[in-house]
Amino acid sequence: MTTTQPKSAGTDQSHLRQGEVTVPLPEQTDAGLYFIGRVRTPWQSRKECPKNVRESRERGTVCQIEVDPRWQAAMAGLETCTHLIVLYWMDRARRDLVVQTPRRYPEGRPTFALRSPVRPNPIALAVVELRKVEGNVLHVVGVDCLDGTPLLDIKPYFASTDSIPDANVGWHAARKAAEAAED
Amino acid sequence: MTTTQPKSAGTDQSHLRQGEVTVPLPEQTDAGLYFIGRVRTPWQSRKECPKNVRESRERGTVCQIEVDPRWQAAMAGLETCTHLIVLYWMDRARRDLVVQTPRRYPEGRPTFALRSPVRPNPIALAVVELRKVEGNVLHVVGVDCLDGTPLLDIKPYFASTDSIPDANVGWHAARKAAEAAED
């Protein structure tokens, strides 16, 4: 198979932050992904990039989802959707951290409790607002990735099953409350 | 690379339904996935399986997400979440349909406007309710897949960014309205 990510990108021990824990990656991958397009954003470096979907939405930057012409016939009907789920491949993220220390957190956090791109399968998920469709290009608000990030999938967002307004992430809410108490 | 899906599973022209359109798949995949666990459900055949997440939620069946022990340290903190996003790999789905005819629809529908498992990258997404965590096993309500389906990722569900209660899928709403008018 072809991969854009050298093996060393997922296993380099020299760039670990305080509290981070790695595991050995499996010898082989189990299935293959096709890159079906690219996400076009104005952000060329991590520093410029919004740190998550919330920040991207607050900025309101309209970005482009460019679908490979091979798949364009699969896009009809998307223009009737107000919101989409977009999956993209964070090809620069290491894959072997089970506990990680995001820049803004003081201590290590387990990977699956975070939305960080660093995870065994670095599939990012953004719920985006669809502004316009032009041929094989979707104009959207809400992606949080670098320009050129590989696209994996586009799905319609169904409020009936995807929207849980009262869902709670307990550890995160507790942290926010503690921060507010400190202010 | 190793893959659980023979090439023929994605390209067999003999099982197309009326209105379905295929495209040639790319020669190679671009990135590799690790199966990080399995989804355990009571459903051994497509006939038994709920047809989508809504139906699964209505049934209320508690299913298990079994995470490979390699990744267990990444799970701490999940027990504080009410809801999770689970990604799994629909390994029996063909990947070359750009227009498809799901069983309950009379005409072909473009792939990206559907939540069908049949898509270039058959990554299914379910927002599940977390009932209990026991070691490397999550007990959840809301998955819609066969027993043994490979697990790809677990993410916390943040209402602040993931919940859009007034999102609309226009083509689907129009279809529902037409059905109601016929009754």
Side-chain angles (χ1 to χ4, degrees), chain B residues 102-158:
Chain B
R103 222 173 284 267
R104 63 193 184 284
Y105 287 174
E107 77 277 19
R109 288 279 172 191
T111 292
F112 296 141
L114 292 172
R115 288 291 275 268
S116 154
V118 172
R119 50 211 316 120
N121 294 306
I123 302 169
L125 179 167
V127 177
V128 303
E129 183 195 334
L130 179 63
R131 291 286 179 88
K132 190 168 57 170
V133 183
E134 285 183 318
N136 66 327
V137 179
L138 307 174
H139 298 260
V140 305
V141 173
V143 296
D144 60 350
C145 60
L146 295 175
D147 186 39
T149 297
L151 178 68
L152 298 179
D153 200 8
I154 304 167
K155 299 178 191 292
Y157 181 96
F158 282 97

Side-chain angles (χ1 to χ4, degrees), chain B residues 18-72:
Chain B
Q18 181 81 28
E20 292 189 328
V21 178
T22 65
V23 294
L25 287 174
E27 283 299 307
Q28 293 190 302
T29 54
D30 299 295
L33 291 168
Y34 300 120
F35 294 165
I36 63 165
R38 297 277 164 180
V39 184
R40 296 292 167 199
T41 74
W43 308 305
Q44 306 297 328
S45 71
R46 290 191 189 194
K47 200 177 155 189
E48 302 164 71
C49 206
K51 69 175 190 285
N52 53 37
V53 166
R54 183 177 54 73
E55 192 180 308
S56 174
R57 224 178 264 170
E58 284 166 5
R59 290 195 201 175
T61 313
V62 180
C63 298
Q64 284 69 45
I65 310 282
E66 275 183 17
V67 177
D68 187 294
R70 180 192 300 266
W71 305 108
Q72 190 175 341

Side-chain angles (χ1 to χ4, degrees), chain A residues 2 24 28 30-31 33-35 57 70 80 82 115 119 121 123 153-157 161-163 168 170, chain B residues 2 24 28 30-35 57 70 80 82 115 119 121 123 153-157 161-163 168 170:
Chain A
T2 330
Q28 293 191 302
D30 300 295
L33 290 168
Y34 300 120
F35 294 165
R57 225 178 263 169
R70 181 193 299 267
T80 71
T82 61
R115 289 290 277 267
R119 50 211 315 118
N121 294 306
I123 302 169
D153 200 8
I154 304 166
K155 299 177 190 293
Y157 181 96
T161 48
D162 299 321
S163 176
N168 187 43
Chain B
T2 331
Q28 293 190 302
D30 299 295
L33 291 168
Y34 300 120
F35 294 165
R57 224 178 264 170
R70 180 192 300 266
T80 72
T82 62
R115 288 291 275 268
R119 50 211 316 120
N121 294 306
I123 302 169
D153 200 8
I154 304 167
K155 299 178 191 292
Y157 181 96
T161 48
D162 298 322
S163 176
N168 187 43

Side-chain angles (χ1 to χ4, degrees), chain A residues 1-76:
Chain A
M1 63 166 281
T2 330
T3 170
T4 56
Q5 177 174 273
K7 178 102 181 160
S8 62
T11 54
D12 181 358
Q13 301 296 311
S14 64
H15 294 95
L16 293 179
R17 296 192 191 131
Q18 181 80 29
E20 293 191 326
V21 179
T22 65
V23 294
L25 287 175
E27 282 299 307
Q28 293 191 302
T29 53
D30 300 295
L33 290 168
Y34 300 120
F35 294 165
I36 63 165
R38 296 278 163 180
V39 184
R40 296 292 167 199
T41 74
W43 308 305
Q44 306 297 329
S45 71
R46 289 192 189 194
K47 201 178 155 190
E48 302 165 71
C49 206
K51 68 176 189 288
N52 53 36
V53 167
R54 183 177 54 73
E55 191 180 308
S56 174
R57 225 178 263 169
E58 283 165 6
R59 290 195 202 175
T61 313
V62 179
C63 298
Q64 284 69 45
I65 310 281
E66 275 182 18
V67 177
D68 187 293
R70 181 193 299 267
W71 305 107
Q72 190 174 342
M75 297 171 68

